Amino acid sequence: MRFDLITLFPDMCAALAAQGVCGRAHQRGVWSLQTWNPRDYTRDVHRTVDDRPFGGGPGMVMMAEPLALAIEAIRADRLAAGADAAGLPAPVVLLSPAGQVHRQALARRWAAGRGAILVCGRYEGIDQRFIDTYVDQQVSLGDFVLSGGELAALVLVDSVVRLLPGVLHDAESAEQDSFNPALTGLLDSPHYTRPEIWRGQAVPETLLSGHHARIQAWRRRQSVRLTRDRRPDLIEQARAAGRLSRQDEACLDASQAENEE
Ligand code: 9WO
């Protein structure tokens, strides 16, 4: 899988390919990341990538032409590398608050694809004519504003790459929700490690019992209750999708009754 990032700040993007599970997988060739600087596709001596907005207003706008030339260069390079299925060019994706909000189900869909060309905007925005001409879809991470699209692009790539086969160890993937349908859509239960008592706080007894079935049931109960308390919307979704068992419902009823006492 190959991701091409169009960015004025390529240095910001190197970390993902260098560290952690994504870094390891990158080193093994599971995926690749290339950055393309629009500044390298300018033709004036000042290497201008931005200009003042027509109609006035604060700040600067990214010019269409350097971005378009970067896309053309990427398309040629991906073709030469055989990175795309024949006649199926990689989608061009803009990270912006106007996009579809990213979530785990979309990350899974991306993980089945060939990658993408990710456009990272800066300044006040990008000339709309570039967006109209080249951008296939916009992706948002949520309702907040960043100073540029780079961090959002890296979050997107991270969420996809960790789902690729062989990126996580068995031990990690066993815990992972896509391999553990029972947990899908619920929040994970709390984790503990040594020491058994830390600053007077003990580890929940069940986790020390060595009783696998009881531990599993305890974790599931914790997941269900935590999700109910913090993200009741996810409980509704899980229920609607038939992902809550009779035990899950009983656990919700029981803790509801405790709260009402
Ligand atoms: C396009 C656009 C369209 C409608 C409304 C806002 C929009 N912003 C952009 C855009 O290309 N913005 C660039 C990237 C330039 C300004 C900083 N940018 C940005 C991206 N800020 N915040 C994001 C972002 C991306 C994904 N999820 C949350 C925020």
Side-chain angles (χ1 to χ4, degrees):
M1 179 167 298
R2 170 172 162 179
F3 287 98
D4 294 278
L5 265 62
I6 301 181
T7 171
L8 289 168
F9 300 102
D11 291 351
M12 274 185 78
C13 306
L16 192 67
Q19 270 141 358
V21 288
C22 293
R24 249 190 285 136
H26 187 269
Q27 204 164 18
R28 285 188 283 120
V30 174
W31 69 289
S32 68
L33 180 74
Q34 287 207 49
T35 56
W36 304 77
N37 194 333
R39 216 172 279 289
D40 296 334
Y41 298 92
T42 55
R43 288 164 179 161
D44 63 316
V45 284
H46 301 294
R47 310 217 294 161
T48 310
V49 293
D50 61 326
D51 208 334
R52 292 181 317 203
F54 280 119
M60 302 292 271
V61 174
M62 289 184 84
M63 299 165 73
E65 187 62 11
L67 293 170
L69 292 175
I71 297 262
E72 303 300 349
I74 294 167
R75 285 194 171 148
D77 196 68
R78 287 185 71 109
L79 205 61
D84 297 319
L88 220 142
V92 176
V93 177
L94 174 66
L95 286 306
S96 108
Q100 183 184 25
V101 178
H102 189 58
R103 43 198 166 73
Q104 191 64 21
L106 295 174
R108 278 189 222 111
R109 209 178 300 164
W110 279 73
R114 298 292 204 102
I117 300 172
L118 304 176
V119 181
C120 305
R122 281 274 156 177
Y123 313 117
E124 295 304 308
I126 297 175
D127 190 311
Q128 186 62 37
R129 294 166 296 182
F130 166 80
I131 298 175
D132 295 342
T133 306
Y134 287 100
V135 172
D136 298 306
Q137 51 173 309
Q138 301 191 31
V139 172
S140 167
L141 297 185
D143 296 336
F144 49 85
V145 177
L146 301 168
S147 50
E150 286 81 3
L151 290 175
L154 295 178
V155 170
L156 174 66
V157 172
D158 184 289
S159 75
V160 174
V161 166
R162 64 185 291 286
L163 297 178
L164 296 177
V167 170
L168 299 185
H169 297 308
D170 283 350
E172 294 163 333
S173 58
E175 298 287 318
Q176 201 192 311
D177 61 13
S178 60
F179 291 93
N180 183 357
L183 196 60
T184 304
L186 297 184
L187 302 176
D188 201 359
S189 56
H191 302 280
Y192 298 87
T193 186
R194 293 195 302 174
E196 272 185 33
I197 296 181
W198 178 76
R199 299 192 181 183
Q201 301 172 67
V203 172
E205 208 184 287
T206 309
L207 295 178
L208 307 174
S209 70
H211 196 300
H212 186 64
R214 271 178 51 203
I215 292 169
Q216 250 187 330
W218 180 88
R219 286 185 168 150
R220 180 70 187 186
R221 269 197 318 276
Q222 296 291 317
S223 272
V224 167
R225 288 179 184 180
L226 180 69
T227 309
R228 197 268 319 275
D229 291 345
R230 302 281 179 81
R231 295 292 307 277
D233 57 311
L234 295 181
I235 287 286
E236 282 315 315
Q237 271 182 44
R239 186 176 283 138
R243 282 190 259 106
L244 292 186
S245 68
R246 207 174 308 158
Q247 284 102 308
D248 293 335
E249 296 290 1
C251 150
L252 286 170
D253 287 345
S255 69
Q256 195 71 49
E258 282 163 31
N259 288 343
E260 282 164 11
E261 269 169 24

